[in-house]
């Protein structure tokens, strides 16, 4: 395994925790005042961010599994279990095996990016393959991150970073990532500028292990509203958790009209509308949606989440096809060949897959849905506005918070692999048990 500077609870990890605690704590009172929300939680300081011009809070809801963490709920790598329904991991779901899909391109691109860094940049960006850096990702803009910051790199170095994302992700996945970064910069301009976290450059690469076609390694790319965790073992790839969101989801930035999450929105509605009235009654828990319904965001690596909604065992062939189309939107963020490997895994458990919905069902409605099986967990959450006021949102605009009226101008999504496979943890364990 690749070495890295020694890290102890008294040094690097504690430094970041206390910096984040201090950074986040300042915004809690202001957030409550501006949004009409207050928090009685002792962890409130770890679940809200703040610091925009004039006291403007950042995009993202405060608290819970919605992606603002990880805060006090952060799981150490050694304590990782994964998302389960009851705290117990289902056995024999995964194995170390050949997929016959090469990882050569992503290995070469990762090595090229690392070779392009200075010695100091590389030292700050490379960790052990089982480092706590994996679960330390966050969606919040002001979170104190490790690694190589894109805005601090040269144009040549940044292009090598985008080249790595270009082979790890699909064309659509890369475009979505870049557009989230652009809308993050739009939000910075919208809020008056002066915040280096609300820019295109406030995104970071970290690497766990050394790029290899045989030994385990991976990388993480994260910043405000983006977290891509990419683990590689041989020709197997795990690209979860992957978090993508935006506020706003549609705006014009530098003359380019950008609209995000249309496929996620329409594919969810298409599946819901394919259901019979009786099926809908099982799938929809309520037509009243909260400002933040997401469960499996940052810091929720050991989440216990029971199945809810409608199970696909009784779906017609057409409904099963719609369900797979929906899953493919999220799985398709990774490059095509590896995405197909994942889709086969999803299909094997299709009859044990649940579809769950909260909210209304119009094209413009703000809603939440979840797809959940032993091998995939997907969440889509249209949330209340926090930093972007959309006057056309039917009352959901202006300054807000988790208690505000949700709108499609603020969406969070996440895809995970339950039962121990996020970050490739189970594959690393199997690899070490069998080969070392």
């Amino acid at each position: 395994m690749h070495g890295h500077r020694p890290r102890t609870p008294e040094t690097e990890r504690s430094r970041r925790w206390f910096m984040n605690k201090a950074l986040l704590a300042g915004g809690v009172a202001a957030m409550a005042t501006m949004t009409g929300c207050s928090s009685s939680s002792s962890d409130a300081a770890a679940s809200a961010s703040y610091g925009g011009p004039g006291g403007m809070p950042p995009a993202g809801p405060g608290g819970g599994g919605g992606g603002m963490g990880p805060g006090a709920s952060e799981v150490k790598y050694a304590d990782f279990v994964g998302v389960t329904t009851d705290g117990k991991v289902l056995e024999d779901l995964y194995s170390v095996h050949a997929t016959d899909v090469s990882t050569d391109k992503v290995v070469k691109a990762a090595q090229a990016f690392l070779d392009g860094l200075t010695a100091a940049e590389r030292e700050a960006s490379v960790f052990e393959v089982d480092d706590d850096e994996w679960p330390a990702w966050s969606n919040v803009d002001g979170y104190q991150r490790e690694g190589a910051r894109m805005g601090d790199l040269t144009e040549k170095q940044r292009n090598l970073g985008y080249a790595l994302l270009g082979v790890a992700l699909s064309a659509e996945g890369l475009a979505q990532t870049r557009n989230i970064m652009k809308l993050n910069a739009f939000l910075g301009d919208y809020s008056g500028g002066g915040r280096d976290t609300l820019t295109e450059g406030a995104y970071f690469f970290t690497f766990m292990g050394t790029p290899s076609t045989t030994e385990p390694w991976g990388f993480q790319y994260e910043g405000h509203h983006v977290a891509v965790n990419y683990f590689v073992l041989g020709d197997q790839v795990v690209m979860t958790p992957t978090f993508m969101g935006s506020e706003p989801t549609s705006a014009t930035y530098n003359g380019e009209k950008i609209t995000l999450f249309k496929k996620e929105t329409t594919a969810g509605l298409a599946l819901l509308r394919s259901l019979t009235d009786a099926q809908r009654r099982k799938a929809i828990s309520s037509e009243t949606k909260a400002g933040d319904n997401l469960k499996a965001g940052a810091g929720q690596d050991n989440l216990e989440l029971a199945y809810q909604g409608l199970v696909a065992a009784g779906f017609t062939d057409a409904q099963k096809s719609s369900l797979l189309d929906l899953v493919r939107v999220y799985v398709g963020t990774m490059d095509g060949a590896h995405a197909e490997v994942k889709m086969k895994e999803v299909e094997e458990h299709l009859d044990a897959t649940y579809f769950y919905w909260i909210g209304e069902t119009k094209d413009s409605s703000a809603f939440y849905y979840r797809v959940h099986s032993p091998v995939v967990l997907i969440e889509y959450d249209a949330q209340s506005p926090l930093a972007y006021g959309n006057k056309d949102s039917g009352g959901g605009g202006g300054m807000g918070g988790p208690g505000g009226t949700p709108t499609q101008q603020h969406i969070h999504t996440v895809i995970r692999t339950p039962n121990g496979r996020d970050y490739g943890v189970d594959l690393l364990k199997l690899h070490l048990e069998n080969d070392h």
Side-chain angles (χ1 to χ4, degrees):
M1 295 184 186
H2 197 284
H4 187 68
R5 64 190 185 281
R7 309 177 81 199
T8 70
E10 291 73 33
T11 57
E12 196 63 28
R13 298 293 295 170
S14 59
R15 178 193 70 83
R16 176 160 62 179
W17 166 246
F18 286 113
M19 285 187 69
N20 283 318
K21 193 83 169 177
L23 183 151
L24 299 178
V28 175
M31 180 78 75
T33 300
M34 298 179 69
T35 66
C37 301
S38 62
S39 175
S40 60
S41 170
S42 61
D43 294 326
S47 62
S49 178
Y50 169 73
M56 174 167 285
M68 291 295 287
S73 62
E74 180 181 326
V75 173
K76 300 298 183 184
Y77 190 95
D79 298 325
F80 175 86
V81 175
V83 175
T84 62
T85 58
D86 59 2
K88 299 176 182 177
V89 172
L90 296 179
E91 301 294 336
D92 301 323
L93 284 174
Y94 312 117
S95 65
V96 176
H97 63 273
T99 66
D100 297 323
V101 178
S102 175
T103 54
D104 288 355
K105 288 184 179 180
V106 75
V107 170
K108 290 177 181 177
Q111 194 60 59
F113 177 77
L114 286 170
D115 288 345
L117 298 179
T118 65
E121 290 166 342
R122 183 164 179 156
E123 171 68 11
S125 305
V126 181
F127 299 80
E128 297 278 2
V129 73
D130 58 353
D131 197 271
D132 288 339
E133 185 63 24
W134 277 120
W137 64 272
S138 174
N139 169 60
V140 74
D141 61 321
Y143 187 67
Q144 183 72 21
R145 293 178 167 89
E146 304 292 335
R149 183 180 183 273
M150 291 291 267
D152 296 336
L153 302 179
T154 66
E155 182 178 3
K156 182 178 180 180
Q157 289 173 320
R158 281 196 299 272
N159 286 338
L160 289 171
Y162 289 132
L164 170 56
L165 292 177
V167 294
L169 306 179
S170 64
E172 288 189 352
L174 177 61
Q176 179 146 301
T177 301
R178 291 290 289 114
N179 283 336
I180 291 170
M181 295 167 65
K182 291 174 183 177
L183 289 186
N184 187 50
F186 169 89
L187 184 64
D189 295 342
Y190 172 88
S191 61
R195 292 190 55 193
D196 62 4
T197 59
L198 296 182
T199 66
E200 287 189 68
Y203 294 84
F204 296 73
F205 274 106
T206 52
F207 292 79
M208 277 56 90
T210 302
S212 169
T213 56
T214 56
E215 293 301 306
W217 70 282
F219 74 87
Q220 189 177 76
Y221 185 72
E222 65 148 336
H224 189 209
H225 279 140
V226 171
V228 175
N229 291 283
Y230 196 98
F231 175 85
V232 181
L233 176 60
D235 61 9
Q236 288 181 272
V237 170
V238 178
M239 203 179 90
T240 60
T242 290
F243 182 108
M244 292 193 176
S246 190
E247 184 188 21
T249 58
S250 183
T252 299
Y253 175 67
N254 286 346
E256 178 185 4
K257 181 61 182 292
I258 299 171
T259 300
L260 292 170
F261 303 113
K262 292 300 292 183
K263 283 190 173 182
E264 292 84 348
T265 300
T266 57
L269 285 167
L271 175 56
L272 185 81
R273 291 169 180 173
S274 76
L275 303 179
T276 66
D277 289 344
Q279 288 174 317
R280 282 200 196 194
R281 284 193 290 271
K282 291 182 179 180
I284 301 175
S285 73
S286 172
E287 291 190 353
T288 302
K289 190 194 178 302
D292 174 4
N293 290 100
L294 203 75
K295 299 294 185 184
Q300 302 300 311
D301 288 320
N302 288 352
L303 175 69
E304 292 183 25
L305 185 64
Y307 294 125
Q308 290 178 275
L310 178 67
V311 69
F315 280 14
T316 65
D317 288 345
Q319 290 170 336
K320 288 182 178 181
S321 180
S322 291
L323 174 56
L324 288 171
D325 287 344
L326 174 55
V327 174
R328 191 172 281 108
V329 171
Y330 294 86
V331 173
T333 302
M334 68 194 303
D335 76 278
H338 287 109
E340 286 308 309
V341 172
K342 178 61 181 179
M343 287 305 300
K344 289 178 182 176
E345 185 177 87
V346 171
E347 287 187 59
E348 290 173 0
H349 298 271
L350 198 61
D351 283 350
T353 303
Y354 285 75
F355 182 57
Y356 180 64
W357 187 281
I358 302 173
E360 297 182 356
T361 61
K362 301 182 182 69
D363 287 355
S364 60
S365 297
F367 50 78
Y368 166 94
Y369 66 74
R370 181 192 309 157
V371 176
H372 190 187
S373 86
V375 297
V376 70
L377 172 61
I378 291 168
E379 291 186 282
Y380 166 107
D381 194 22
Q383 302 192 335
S384 56
L386 192 60
Y388 180 74
N390 176 15
K391 295 177 182 178
D392 299 322
S393 65
M399 295 306 299
T405 302
T407 166
Q408 285 189 18
Q409 276 286 39
H410 187 189
I411 292 173
H412 285 186
T413 70
V414 68
I415 178 170
R416 285 183 175 270
T417 311
N419 292 297
R421 178 158 275 201
D422 278 344
Y423 314 108
V425 173
D426 73 305
L427 286 184
L428 180 59
K429 288 180 180 177
L430 290 169
H431 171 74
L432 295 176
E433 289 171 2
N434 296 330
D435 297 341
H436 291 267

